[in-house]
């Protein structure tokens, strides 16, 4: 990022709506936590880790990502993970975040739900107080597991309803359609949670339709396969349902072979409410600024387009009205500076 022509991309006030906290685990922290918790890793050093991060599709990544998550044991571990991400946000002028966490990845290993949520939410509270980064936290259900497991997870979350703002759906997309989770999403909606779901990353456009019509989500995570379906595009443009697109993730997982082929700017030109996000930055080679830099380098992203992408993120966020206004003010200050 030493290239001065990237400075404005780092200074741009940003909002992140698609970020898995477990996907921010940097190799250094992985080694530190493994040592702290006496866990043996299948890697000798950081170079080994980097070598393992060569993925051909989503499942290759998920296998390594779930293995990495085994280093988290205590509330302090979840705090440290979340805090490290927030420091990165501060460095990149990310002002508002809506991170995901995957409780089932941890409860299945015998870690208490309470340990996970307390560590994460203490760090988010500190981030708001000390760094001014506002947040809404989203709990994801793992779609390769059953709906009854998801319902049990929702029940565990009820005690912490003041700390969790939304529910989402992630993990292996193909073969696990949104409609598998219709009951748990309906229950979550009744309890006042905001709803999002990964759809149309590797899975087909039909999964975007069913996320909208069956799960009744407020946002679609990824959603790039919408480009295959003109009727769906009209629906998404008319409704302005946001799509949280993750450029570096898409090239790392071979959804696009190369960033020059990414359709995000075409989607923006069509009038879709697309946003830029980092997904699992430690695994995919970059946080928010690096995602913007990649669009600038490979797709000649302009300042006008970058500002529109941020406006979309502010609009798409679950931030309260007053906070949205202050985010727009920060963006205006950037525009006029
Ligand atoms: N897709 C699905 N599940 C995930 C992802 C993703 O990109 N990252 C973490 N879990
Ligand atoms: Zn994701």
């Amino acid at each position: 990022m030493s290239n001065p022509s990237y400075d404005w991309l780092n200074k741009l006030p940003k909002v992140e709506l698609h970020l898995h906290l477990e996907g921010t685990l940097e190799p250094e922290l992985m080694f530190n936590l493994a040592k702290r918790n006496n866990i043996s890793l299948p890697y000798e050093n950081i170079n080994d880790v980097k070598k393992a991060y060569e993925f051909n599709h989503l499942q290759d990544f998920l296998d390594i990502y779930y293995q990495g998550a085994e280093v988290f044991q205590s509330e302090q571990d979840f705090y440290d993970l979340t805090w490290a991400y927030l420091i990165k946000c501060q460095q990149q002028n990310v002002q508002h975040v809506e991170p995901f966490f995957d409780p089932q990845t941890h409860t299945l290993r015998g870690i208490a739900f309470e340990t996970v949520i307390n560590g994460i939410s203490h760090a988010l509270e500190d981030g708001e107080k000390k760094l001014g980064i506002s947040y809404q936290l989203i709990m994801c259900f793992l779609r390769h597991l059953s709906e009854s497991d998801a319902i049990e997870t929702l029940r565990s979350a009820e005690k912490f309803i003041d700390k969790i703002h939304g529910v989402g759906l992630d993990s292996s997309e193909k073969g696990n359609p949104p409609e598998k989770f219709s009951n748990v999403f309906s229950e979550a909606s009744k309890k006042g949670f905001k709803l999002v779901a990964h759809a149309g990353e590797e899975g087909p456009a039909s999964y975007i339709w069913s996320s909208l019509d069956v799960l009744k989500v407020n946002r679609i995570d990824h959603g790039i396969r919408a480009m295959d379906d003109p009727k769906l595009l009209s629906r998404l443009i008319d409704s302005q349902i946001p799509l949280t697109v993750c450029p570096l993730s898409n090239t790392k997982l071979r959804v696009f072979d190369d960033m020059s082929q990414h359709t995000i700017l075409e989607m923006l030109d069509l009038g879709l409410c697309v946003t830029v996000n980092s997904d699992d930055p430690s695994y995919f080679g970059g946080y928010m600024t690096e995602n913007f830099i990649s669009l600038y380098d490979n797709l000649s992203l302009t300042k006008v387009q970058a500002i529109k992408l941020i406006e979309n993120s502010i609009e798409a966020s679950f931030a309260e009205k007053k906070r949205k206004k202050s985010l727009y003010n920060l963006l205006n200050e950037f525009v006029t500076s």
Side-chain angles (χ1 to χ4, degrees):
M1 217 204 301
S2 49
N3 184 338
S5 64
Y6 298 149
D7 281 357
W8 68 278
L9 293 166
N10 201 54
K11 284 190 189 132
L12 183 69
K14 293 179 269 303
V15 165
E16 172 131 83
L17 305 178
H18 184 156
L19 178 282
H20 303 262
L21 284 169
E22 291 89 346
T24 68
L25 176 63
E26 290 290 341
E28 291 81 359
L29 185 59
M30 188 193 297
F31 280 103
N32 288 344
L33 295 184
K35 196 164 168 214
R36 183 191 283 176
N37 295 322
N38 214 3
I39 287 169
S40 65
L41 290 173
Y43 315 108
E44 287 282 320
N45 52 46
I46 289 176
N47 264 350
D48 283 355
V49 180
K50 300 251 147 122
K51 262 190 245 153
Y53 291 1
E54 284 298 324
F55 314 114
N56 285 313
H57 48 81
L58 178 60
Q59 196 60 48
D60 288 350
F61 153 71
L62 289 170
D63 293 343
I64 299 240
Y65 163 86
Y66 293 130
Q67 185 177 59
E70 289 182 20
V71 297
F72 306 118
Q73 300 284 322
S74 67
E75 197 173 309
Q76 185 67 45
D77 300 341
F78 288 99
Y79 183 98
D80 291 349
L81 173 76
T82 309
W83 186 250
Y85 166 62
L86 291 168
I87 292 294
K88 200 75 186 180
C89 288
Q90 183 193 34
Q91 291 164 353
Q92 300 199 341
N93 204 15
V94 180
Q95 295 282 343
H96 175 82
V97 295
E98 301 194 355
F100 303 133
F101 73 113
D102 290 338
Q104 289 158 298
T105 301
H106 314 297
T107 51
L108 278 175
R109 300 181 292 115
I111 310 295
F113 190 97
E114 199 173 356
T115 303
V116 183
I117 188 68
N118 285 343
I120 291 173
S121 55
H122 283 155
L124 290 170
E125 284 159 20
D126 282 353
E128 182 145 47
K129 267 187 255 154
K130 296 179 187 167
L131 311 174
I133 300 170
S134 53
Y135 67 93
Q136 300 270 303
L137 180 61
I138 301 174
M139 171 178 86
C140 281
F141 303 119
L142 299 181
R143 69 200 303 157
H144 66 274
L145 301 178
S146 68
E147 187 181 47
S148 60
D149 283 341
I151 289 174
E152 202 181 305
T153 304
L154 183 64
R155 299 269 147 78
S156 307
E158 279 164 24
K159 249 175 73 190
F160 303 96
I161 201 147
D162 56 322
K163 298 185 192 309
I164 303 170
H165 307 95
V167 303
L169 190 61
D170 66 2
S171 191
S172 321
E173 187 179 5
K174 283 185 185 162
N176 293 299
E179 46 277 32
K180 180 176 162 187
F181 296 91
S182 57
N183 295 308
V184 72
F185 268 66
S186 153
E187 205 178 299
S189 174
K190 284 187 198 128
K191 291 189 163 50
F193 291 101
K194 298 281 196 305
L195 309 178
V196 300
H198 283 54
E201 177 187 16
E202 272 193 350
S206 65
Y207 285 14
I208 302 176
W209 281 109
S210 52
S211 296
L212 297 174
D213 291 335
V214 181
L215 302 187
K216 305 200 182 307
V217 296
N218 304 98
R219 288 196 305 244
I220 297 285
D221 295 314
H222 291 295
I224 46 174
R225 293 268 64 88
M227 291 296 269
D228 301 338
D229 183 338
K231 245 176 108 180
L232 177 58
L233 283 176
S234 302
R235 162 98 181 257
L236 291 168
I237 294 164
D238 291 347
S239 61
Q240 287 295 291
I241 296 271
L243 307 178
T244 63
V245 176
C246 306
L248 285 173
S249 162
N250 294 153
T251 47
K252 262 297 212 185
L253 299 185
R254 322 288 298 169
V255 173
F256 294 99
D257 286 336
D258 191 84
M259 195 60 83
S260 60
Q261 292 163 14
H262 205 293
T263 52
I264 183 168
L265 296 186
E266 287 162 51
M267 296 168 91
L268 187 69
D269 282 348
L270 285 173
L272 290 160
C273 183
V274 281
T275 64
V276 173
N277 307 274
S278 72
D279 208 4
D280 300 280
S282 162
Y283 293 88
F284 299 149
Y287 290 76
M288 286 293 276
T289 296
E290 289 80 11
N291 271 275
F292 276 96
I293 288 175
S294 189
L295 298 182
Y296 176 75
D297 280 348
N298 295 286
L299 296 172
S300 305
L301 174 79
T302 65
K303 207 168 206 172
V304 170
Q305 288 170 325
I307 290 163
K308 180 62 183 159
L309 287 163
I310 303 296
E311 283 172 356
N312 285 351
S313 295
I314 298 172
E315 209 45 48
S317 77
F318 298 140
E320 283 164 13
K321 248 193 179 158
K322 203 170 138 209
R323 179 59 177 154
K324 280 195 181 184
K325 210 162 165 225
S326 69
L327 292 167
Y328 278 121
N329 287 341
L330 286 169
L331 187 60
N332 277 335
E333 277 168 32
F334 168 83
V335 172
T336 54
S337 68

